[in-house]
C-alpha cells in the first residue's frame, strides 16, 4: 500500500508511539509486507526469525520490536507490538470508508462496458472498456478491471485476505491483518459465476491477460496468475502463489500458498498441489506428482494381491 | 423450534387429526428433532427402528404412527404420517411469510455496525454491534449475528437444510423437511465471501466465538462449530456435526455428517473425514487418517516395484 | 439455438461471406453444435478430423473451411473461419441485449410463486407456479423454471458455458464461444444456495423433475440431469455429461465432461469420475471405482509392510 504522498517518519513514529532510530529525516512512501515491499516503504517484523530478512529487504524503514543493527540510510521504528502499529498506520492512511451507494461516485466505467443491475462498484473501482459485468457481482474498493473483461453473476472481486495474527492468550485468538492491497484484472480475462478473488494484504492480486476461469473458483490474496491460463470450476488457489502463463488447472484442483506452478503445466482434476511444480508437464494426485507416475502407482497397487500370492508360494 | 407460547396438546391433535393418548391436559412448548428436543417439546417418529429412542428422548409428546407403551406423564399423538404432521405443525405455527423488503421491519442492527448496499436482512434477524456486512450478503429469517462479526460479500446465512423424506413411490421421490431452525453466529466470527451456512432443521447451527472462515465454505444444518476454529477456502461440513474448539481445516477438506472432530485437531488440505477424529492431532487423506501414517503409505506404495523385483529374484 | 423463423441460406451466406454449395434454395431453422443439432439446422466444423461426423450429422447445412462431398439435399457454406462465422450468426440472430431492470418486462412468473427481493430475472425468463426464489438469485435470459421449484439465495442460473476456441498465435489465446443455449429446470427441483448452472452452448442444460441439490453445486453447460437425483454440497459436474435418474452424488464429488452415470448409481464423497459409470452400483475414489474394491485397496496398501517383512525372511 502506498500513501497518497510521502509521510515523514517522525509523523509515523508519533502515530505509533515508536522510538525512531536512524535516518529520521526521511519520509515513507507506503507500508508493505516483506515480499512486496519497495524502496522507500515501511515494513514490519515481530519475530526474531525474520529480523534479518526484513532489515535487508527493500524496505527502507523497519517497524520492529527490538533495537538491532541496520544498514546505513535505513531507519528503525521500535515498538512493542509491530502488528498493532501496522493496523494503526493502515487505519490512519487508508481508513475503512465504504461507499453506501451501489456505484461509488469515484468508480469509473469505460466506454462500451455494460454494468448490469445489482452490481456493486466500490470506491475508486475502475472498469475498462467493452466489459460485461453481470448482475449481482461485487467489486470492492480500489480494484482495477481491464478492457474486454467478462465477470459473471455472483462473483466477488476484492474480498479481504484470509490472513490473521494469532495469539492464543487472547479470548479471540485470531486478529485480522487489515487488507489494504488490491486486485488487478488484466485485459481479456473472463471470470465465471460465484467466484471469489481476494485482494492483496498490502500488495496486489493479479489475473494475467487472457486468463479464463469457470464458476466457483477461489483465488487467494497476493496470488499472481499469468496470461492465458485456464482454471476449471471449483479450483482453489491459496495466497501469495505464482501461477505462470498458460497453466491449466482442471476441476477442483487445490493449490497451496507461496509456491510456483511453471509455465504451461497442466494439473488434472482434483489434484492437490502442496509444493512448486515445474512447467510444461502434466500432474495428478493429492499430493500431485507426474501424472504418468501416478497412474503407474495405481497399477502397482492393483498388483499387491498378486505379489502376496506369489510370496505365499 | 419453540412455539411463541405453549400450545395445548388437544389443539395439536386436532390440527394433525391425531389420536391423543396419555397426558392430554398438557401443552407443548415446541417441536424438535430427537437430537435437539427438550422437555415439553413434541418430537416425531415414523420408523419402528427409532420408536424407543424417540419415546425415551427428552421429548414429552411423541407424534408416532403406532400405538405403543410410553413413560408416564408423556403423551402419544398417533397419526398415519408423522412426517406430514410435522410439516402441518410447522406450517401452522411458523408459516413461511418472507419479508419482501431488503431489510425487514423486525430486523435489528446494533450500534457501530455497517450494513452495505444490497444486503438482505430477513424477519427477526439480529445483527450485533460493530459488525461489517459486505454488499450482496443474504441473512434469512430469525438468524442472530453477534458483535464484531464480519461477513463478506455473497455469503448466505440461514439457507434451508438439505434434508428430505424419501418415498420412492411418489412421482417426486424427495419431500423437503421444512427448516424451522436458525443460525447463531457468535462474537468475533469472520466469514469469507460466497459461503453458505444452513439453518438447523428444528434446532440451531452455531459458529463459535472467534472462528474465522475463508471463501466458499459450506456449513450444513445443525452443525455446531466451536471457538477459534479456522476453515480455509472451499471446506465443506455436512449436517449435525460437531467441530470442537480450535480445530483447523485446510482448503477443500470435506467433513461428513453427525460426527465429532476433537479440540485442536488439524486436517490437512483436501482430506475427507467420514468418521469422528480425536483432538490434538494432524490428519490427512480421504478417508483421513493420522497424517504421518498417510505419508508412510505413500512411501510404501513407492516401494512396491522394489518388492516385486526382490520377489522375482 | 433456433431462429425465430427460418432464415434463407442465401441470407446466411451473405452475412458470413460464404460460398454456398448445394441446396441453396433452402432456409435454416437454427444453428447448433453437432451433438444437439436437428434437421433443418446449421452446424459448423473447422477441423478435418470432424468433417465426416458433421456432414453426416442431422445438420442440413454445414459451415466448413473446405469444399468437400456431402449428401444430396444438404448444403455447404464455405468460409475460412467457421468459428468466426458461428459468432457472427449468433450475434446477428440472438444479439446480446441484456435487460437493465431487475425483472425484464418479458419475464413471466406463475401464480403462487414468490420472488424475493434482489432477484434478477432476465429477458424471456419463465418461472412456473408455486416456486420460491430466494433473495440475490440471478436467472439469466431465456431460462425456464418449472412448477414447485425452490432456488436458494445467491444461485446463478444460465451463466455462460466455459467453452473456448484456442489459437496460441493470438495474443489472447482463448476466444469464447458465445453461449446461445438455455437452462430448463423441471418441476419439483430444489437448488441450494450459491450454486451455478451454466446454459447450453447452443442447446440446453436440463435438471430433471424432483432432483435436489445442496449448496455450492456446479452444473456445466449442456449437462442433462435425470429425475430424482441428489447432489450434496460442492459437487461439480462438467459440460455435456448425462446423469441418469436417481443418481446420488455425495459431497465434493467431481464429474468430468461428456460421460454418462447410469441410473441409481451412488458416488461417495470426494470421488472423481473421469469416465462413464454403470447404474445401480456404489463408487468411490479418484478415479472412482467400485466402492468395495477401493476399500480393499486400502487394506492391501496397509499390508505392504507385512509383505516386506515376510519377504526379508
Amino acid at each position: 500500500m502506498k500513501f497518497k504522498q510521502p509521510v515523514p517518519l517522525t509523523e509515523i513514529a508519533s502515530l505509533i508511539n515508536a522510538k525512531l532510530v536512524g535516518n529520521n529525516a526521511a519520509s515513507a512512501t507506503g507500508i508493505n509486507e516483506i515480499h512486496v515491499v519497495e524502496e522507500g516503504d515501511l515494513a514490519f517484523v515481530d519475530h526474531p526469525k525474520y529480523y534479518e530478512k526484513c532489515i535487508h529487504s527493500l524496505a527502507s524503514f523497519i517497524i520492529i520490536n527490538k533495537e538491532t543493527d541496520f544498514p546505513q540510510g535505513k531507519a528503525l521504528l521500535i515498538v512493542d507490538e509491530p502488528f498493532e502499529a501496522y493496523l494503526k498506520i493502515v487505519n490512519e492512511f487508508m481508513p475503512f470508508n465504504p461507499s453506501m451507494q451501489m456505484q461509488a461516485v469515484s468508480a469509473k466505467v469505460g466506454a462500451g462496458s455494460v454494468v448490469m443491475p445489482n452490481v456493486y462498484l466500490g470506491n475508486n473501482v475502475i472498469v475498462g472498456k467493452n466489459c460485461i459485468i453481470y448482475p449481482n457481482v461485487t467489486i470492492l474498493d480500489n480494484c482495477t478491471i481491464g478492457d474486454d473483461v467478462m465477470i459473471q453473476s455472483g462473483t466477488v472481486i476484492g474480498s479481504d485476505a484470509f490472513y490473521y495474527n494469532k495469539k492464543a492468550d487472547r479470548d479471540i485468538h485470531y486478529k485480522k491483518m487489515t487488507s489494504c492491497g488490491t486486485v488487478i484484472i488484466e485485459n481479456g480475462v473472463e471470470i465465471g459465476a460465484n467466484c471469489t478473488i481476494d485482494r492483496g494484504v498490502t500488495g496486489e492480486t493479479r489475473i494475467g491477460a487472457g486468463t479464463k476461469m469457470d464458476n466457483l473458483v477461489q483465488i487467494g490474496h497476493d496470488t499472481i496468475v499469468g496470461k492465458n491460463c485456464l482454471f476449471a470450476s471449483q479450483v482453489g488457489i491459496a495466497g501469495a502463489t505464482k501461477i505462470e502463463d498458460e497453466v491449466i488447472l482442471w476441476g477442483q484442483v487445490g493449490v497451496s500458498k507461496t509456491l510456483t506452478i511453471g509455465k504451461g503445466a497442466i494439473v488434472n482434476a482434483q489434484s492437490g498441489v502442496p509444493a512448486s511444480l515445474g512447467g510444461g508437464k502434466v500432474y495428478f494426485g493429492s499430493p500431485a506428482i507426474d501424472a504418468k507416475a501416478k497412474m503407474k502407482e495405481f497399477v502397482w497397487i492393483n498388483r499387491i494381491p498378486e505379489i502376496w500370492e506369489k510370496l505365499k508360494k
Side-chain angles (χ1 to χ4, degrees), chain A:
Chain A
M1 187 265 273
K2 296 292 180 184
F3 303 134
K4 280 176 195 159
Q5 51 191 54
V7 177
L9 278 194
T10 49
E11 186 182 331
I12 302 278
S14 160
L15 174 71
I16 63 176
N17 207 14
K19 179 178 172 192
L20 176 53
V21 183
N23 181 359
N24 62 16
S27 290
T29 48
I31 185 165
N32 269 308
E33 290 184 284
I34 300 177
H35 69 108
V36 290
V37 78
E38 297 177 339
E39 207 184 315
D41 286 350
L42 292 149
F44 72 97
V45 63
D46 57 7
H47 198 295
K49 195 169 141 189
Y50 300 111
Y51 282 178
E52 281 300 297
K53 192 172 173 190
C54 190
I55 290 165
H56 297 288
S57 71
L58 290 173
S60 299
F61 317 112
I62 322 294
I63 303 169
I64 191 168
N65 49 355
K66 198 194 160 197
E67 188 155 357
T68 180
D69 293 338
F70 58 93
Q72 216 182 350
K74 295 200 174 189
L76 299 187
L77 294 97
I78 300 154
V79 296
D80 286 345
E81 296 272 17
F83 176 73
E84 298 294 328
Y86 163 83
L87 295 182
K88 221 177 247 178
I89 291 168
V90 171
N91 191 49
E92 176 73 18
F93 294 99
M94 194 180 273
F96 180 61
N97 190 12
S99 163
M100 298 304 274
Q101 300 171 272
M102 285 301 292
Q103 195 166 324
V105 175
S106 60
K108 292 199 181 95
V109 176
S113 286
V114 176
V115 176
M116 290 175 70
N118 246 23
V119 169
Y120 180 85
L121 301 181
N123 294 310
N124 307 311
V125 164
I126 297 172
V127 175
K129 288 180 269 184
N130 302 316
C131 295
I132 305 173
I133 316 293
Y134 278 90
N136 283 317
V137 163
T138 304
I139 306 178
L140 294 150
D141 292 2
N142 304 313
C143 294
T144 299
I145 314 295
D147 300 334
D148 305 307
V149 169
M150 185 183 78
I151 303 176
Q152 298 205 53
S153 292
T155 283
V156 177
I157 309 283
S159 33
D160 282 356
F162 188 69
Y163 203 70
Y164 293 94
N165 173 279
K166 180 178 182 183
K167 287 202 182 132
D169 61 350
R170 286 187 297 231
D171 205 37
I172 301 289
H173 290 193
Y174 297 98
K175 190 162 183 179
K176 194 180 166 212
M177 184 153 163
T178 306
S179 292
C180 57
T182 186
V183 177
I184 315 283
I185 309 282
E186 295 184 355
N187 296 345
V189 168
E190 300 186 10
I191 299 172
N194 284 347
C195 294
T196 56
I197 302 183
D198 283 352
R199 64 180 63 240
V201 173
T202 65
E204 67 186 36
T205 303
R206 179 176 288 266
I207 311 296
T211 285
K212 316 292 186 186
M213 52 184 92
D214 201 348
N215 304 328
L216 293 163
V217 170
Q218 146 75 3
I219 308 288
H221 67 90
D222 294 288
T223 283
I224 306 295
V225 175
K227 298 186 199 306
N228 292 312
C229 293
L230 283 187
F231 299 161
S233 182
Q234 297 176 322
V235 158
I237 304 177
T241 268
K242 186 168 172 51
I243 311 288
E244 293 184 355
D245 296 348
E246 298 168 34
V247 166
I248 298 178
L249 305 178
W250 291 115
Q252 299 184 331
V253 162
V255 179
S256 193
K257 63 182 178 177
T258 62
L259 58 83
T260 299
I261 299 185
K263 184 176 174 179
I266 296 173
V267 184
N268 286 341
Q270 291 196 321
S271 296
V273 182
S276 292
L277 296 179
K281 288 184 188 161
V282 183
Y283 300 91
F284 182 50
S286 177
I289 59 172
D290 176 87
K292 279 183 193 153
K294 191 75 199 173
M295 295 319 288
K296 267 189 203 152
E297 265 187 29
F298 288 118
V299 173
W300 279 113
I301 290 170
N302 278 326
R303 291 190 62 185
I304 305 176
E306 177 193 344
I307 291 173
W308 178 247
E309 283 305 316
K310 198 177 172 104
L311 189 58
K312 277 201 301 187
K313 288 176 201 159

